[in-house]
Each structure stands twice: as structure tokens, then as C-alpha cells.
Amino acid sequence: MAAISSPGLGSGLDVNNLVSQLMAAERKAPTARLDSASTLNDARISALGKITSALDKLQTAAGTLASPNTFQTKTATVSDPSALSVTAARTAAAGSYTVEVSQLARADKLASASFNTAFETVGTGTLTISFGTWNSGSSTFTPNATKPSTSIVIDATNNTLSGIRDAINAAGAGVTASIVGDGSGQRLVFSGSESGAANALKISVSDNDGNSTDAGGLSQFAFDPAATAGSGRNLTQTVSAQDAKFKLDGLSLTSSTNLVGSAVSGLTLNLRTVTSSPVTVDIARDDSAAAKAVSGLVDAYNEVVSAVKSASSFDSESKKGGPLIGDASVLSVMGRLRGLMTSSIAGLGGASSLKAVGVSFQKDGTLSFDSSTLADALSSNADSVARLFGATGKASDSRVSVVVSSSTTKTGNYAVDITTEPAGGLLTGAVTAPAFPLTIDGTNNGLSLLIDGTATGALTLTQGSYASADDLAHELQSRINGASALKTAGAAVTVSWNTDHFEIRSNRYGAASTVSLASGSAATALGLDAGTVTAGTDVAGTIGGVAATGSGRILTASGDADGLRLLISGAGTGARGSVDFKRGLGDQLKSLLDDVLADDGTIGRRSSGLSDESARIAKQRTALDDRMTELETRYRTQFTRLDSVMASLKATSDFLTSQLNAMTNSGSSSSSSN
């Protein structure tokens, strides 16, 4: 049976206590060093986190200032908001206007005769819905070239009032059909989706009963405004399509909708009712967004200063410095920020520095903001203030527009020269086209084209006698642009008559744009079978003397202007002035902070370094624990051996003492007996 033992049991030594005290002494100094290093590192991480958070806010504030929408915003005040409302874009010119509305735009609305139920059978055939302008004076209906006709087949599956309604709504014909109960029965109502005089409805019927204009069968839904009631005009017009009519500063204008965006550049008028007296519209510059953005920049910068001071200042009373005192990374960032905030932008012709817009440094390193100085600067030259903060390009030629720049675009003045103007693909008809009037019938009404690589499919021109080439051009354009495949592809064309031939040009610009004839019986009649196909062209030219890349009407720069994209409008080649590109302080500040806060940036690297230090301290603690465990094991082994030796010596001592006592007792007994 094994002996039961415990350290110190044999010797009387308190081994556990001795080892514990020795280990505590061994741990004290290295643990204190690690605790101190960990506390300081944690304090640095916390302080750097506060600085990073403040820099994030400053980055956001800089981005707001760099946005063109922050400056030159406009407000519109209307004397009678019930009559109209106005939205002003930042491009709108400040001023005052008077508006008088005499007529609102409306969409056409037609109603059928009354039926007993919505499920009553009404006939079969084909409904063709067309749009155009009805001139009651000349009794003429001119088709709308931008809106193709839609044919809807009515057969045994949908030849009820409700079936026709559903078929029309599913066709996407630009008309909404509904069934309305009027007390005496059910009526089918056709409502045009778009207002305006050019969107008047015409519904043609091909009735399977053999008569397409009478008041029986499917013909009950025919509506030709030029026909007589009961003979091709069998629907009742409850609302007539009309344009909005209004006066702007006494100038008579019309609009197909009540939302007018073309009357004054930068203004959108929403006409609500006919007015009895002129309504005044005042457009004024709104500086509130700009003032808020500049104030936000000042507050954000001051928060950075506060965070840095808290982390790196020296307390003379406690004789202690902040956790990041003398930190090279923080000092570097603050130096770069101060340098940028005190710099200026040359060539703006107005506000060229923060001080010019009311932002100044104070003795303690923070910024102050005088909103009245900003207001004066905006009143004097708002464009200059906007350019002080944003990355902007200003073209000297109105036919050149700056679309966008990139982070690699350098400040500079770049001359623009066009060597090839942009164009869309073109199909030019032969000059042998017949004279007008021209009759289109079943022998020459088919056509199929390929537009920008998309096939139109088989197109069918409306049969009839076309008095002029322009009328037929409208029909052609309407049919081509109405092709569902083109709509899906986002393709369209413009058809025109040029002296003695037709021209079909793609609305898309660039080398990928083409218009070609596929097939069709109308080709010969229109002179297209012997036409000439000309591919489109991408714009080509130079920006800043360096060859740029053209795509459609977009010219993209390389070299110093790399990333600058220009939209080229108008015809002609040659010099197109220049683009003056500048990076304002807001844009520069945002770029600086993007760099500083990036993972490999100044603050990003410092933060990573502190995280690595935390990991290093954790590893040192683990190593210390391992070393202490090993040391404790060694101590216990040594004390166990000492305990064993001392126990053995004690046993020997006890034995000898016992023997000596026995010998003494034995001697005493012998003496007594004598």
C-alpha cells in the first residue's frame, strides 16, 4: 500500500506557503511591467479611437462641402401655392416671374354606350389604338410620330366588356380601360395615360361582322373624331385632350403636361388650377445649406483639435502627459491638416481661401466661423465659393460639359480639340423615291430594319394616301420606335425627309450605332432598298494636347487630366475652348482624410501598430505564465526533496533520542537494583 504524503507533513515545513510567496515575488516585477505597458497601450488605443472618430466626422463634413449641391441652391416662393408650385434647381437664375394659367393640360377620355353587364358578349375583331392631334377646324387627325399605334385582337376568349378591358390594360397601349357603372348599366371607359393635345385618342376597328363603323359588334368601340356619330364615332368623348396654356411674364406658352420644365431653365412649374390673376414666383439664392456645411466643417475640425489635445497635452500639475504625447503619427496628421486649412486656391477670381468665407484660426488652434462673411462672399461670387470647396471643371465653350472627374485628375487648364464629331448610324435612302402623294397599301406596307444590332421585327405601315413626305416620315418613325425589341434595348431613331430622300438615323451615338435594311415590301417604295448605310462615329479629339478616348459623345482624358470626362455637343470639329479644372479645399481635405484613414494610411498604420502591441503584450503574459508554471514546478520539486531529507533526519534524530533515552533508563534501573 502506497504511503500518503503531503508537502511539509514529514518535516513540518509549510511548503505550499513558501512556494506561493516565492512565486508572488517572482511574478511581481514582470507582471507590473506588463500591466503598465498594457494600460498605456489601451489608453493610446482609446485616444486614437477618439481622434479617428473625429477625423471621420471631418471627412464627412469635407465631402458635404465638396458636393456641388451644397452651393448655389435656390428657393422658390409662390404668392398663391394653390395655383401652382415651383421647384428650383441650383442652375436657376434668381429673379421674379409672373404666371397666368388659362387652361390645364388634360388627357383624352372616351366612354362607350351602356351595357347590361360587364360579361355581355360584344363582338370580335381587332382594336387599333392611335394617338395624334385633332384639328376640329380642318377636321384632320395628325398621328403622333413619337407614339406608335397598338393593335389588340379580340376573339372568343375576351369578347366581353371585362375581357376587352383586361386585353387593353395588358397591351401597354398607353390607355387605361375601366368599367364604370352609371346606374343604368356598365360602360367601358378609355383613359389616355398622357395629357396633351398631341395625345388625342383614335380607335379604329376591324370588325369580324364585316362592318367596322356601325354601332353593332366590336364597332361599338370605334372612335374617329373626323367621323359622324354612329358611323365610326361610337364612343362619347367625356374629356378632350388638350395642352396647358399659360403666360410667363406675358409670353404665351403651351405644355402637353401640367408639369412644365422647359419654360425657364432650372425651374419646374406644376400647374394646379386656372388662375384669375397673375401669380408671382420669386427665385432666390438659398445660402442655408452652404452656411450649415461650412459651420459643420468648423465644428468637425474643432472636435479633432479637442481630441488631439486631450491625447497629447501635458498636465503641469500632475506632471503627466497624455497617452499620445509626442506621437509622430498624430503630429504629422495635424500638420497636414493645418497646412491645407491655411492654403488658398489660385485663379478663382473671388473667394480663394477659408478666411475669405469667414473661417479663421484662433490662438488655441481651433477655427471660428463668421456667417456674415460667407453670406457676403456668396452674394459677390457664389460660383467662386463653390469652386473653393469642390472639384470642378469649367468649360469655356457651351458645347462642352464636364460630366465627371476622378481622384487622379490634376488641377490645370486643358485645351479641348475635336477631330471627329460624334454621330449616330444612318440609313440614307436613294433619291429615286417616288413623288407625293404616295399610297401605302397591302403591297408595299412591310418593313424590317436592324437598329444598333437589334432587329425591329416585321413592321406594318398604316395603309392610306400620304399627302407629304413629312407625314410618311412621322409614320415611319412611329412604327420603328414602337417595336417592342427596340424599346427593350433602349434604341430609337429619328426619321426625316431631306429634300428628295428619306434618312433614318439612330439616336445612339458612336461606332456601335448602325441602321440597316433587313427586308420588307416598303423598301422600294421608300427608296430604302438602294440606300446607303453609314456607321456612327465616336467623338475623337485631344484634351490638354493628349489624345483622349471617345465613346459616343463622351471624351475621356488621359495624362494629367486623367479621368476627366467631357460631353461633346453640337456639330463641327476644331478647337472647343478649354476646361479649367481645380480641386477645392473641401475635395482636397476629403482626399487627405481618405489617405490618412486608409488601412495603410498614417492613422491606419498607427492603429494597426497599437493592435500589434496589444497582441505582443498578450503573448508576453502567456510566456510569463508558462515560465512561472515551470518555475513553480521546479520549486516544488526542490522543496519536496528538502522535505524528504528533513523528514529522514528527523526520524534518525527521533530514533537516536529514543535509544539514548532507553540507555539512560536502563542504567538507572541497574543502579537501583544494586
Side-chain angles (χ1 to χ4, degrees), residues 239-259:
V239 178
S240 59
Q242 64 184 29
D243 288 335
K245 295 182 179 180
F246 61 101
K247 289 184 177 180
L248 181 68
D249 286 344
L251 179 65
S252 296
L253 300 171
T254 62
S255 170
S256 61
T257 71
N258 293 316
L259 197 64

Side-chain angles (χ1 to χ4, degrees), residues 371-426:
S371 59
S372 62
T373 301
L374 174 64
D376 291 341
L378 288 168
S379 297
S380 176
N381 193 335
D383 180 68
S384 175
V385 176
R387 299 196 74 194
L388 172 65
F389 292 105
T392 57
K394 191 172 184 179
S396 61
D397 192 310
S398 61
R399 297 169 297 169
V400 177
S401 301
V402 178
V403 177
V404 72
S405 61
S406 74
S407 59
T408 58
T409 310
K410 295 180 180 179
T411 296
N413 191 276
Y414 302 101
V416 180
D417 191 271
I418 303 303
T419 55
T420 302
E421 63 180 278
L426 175 67

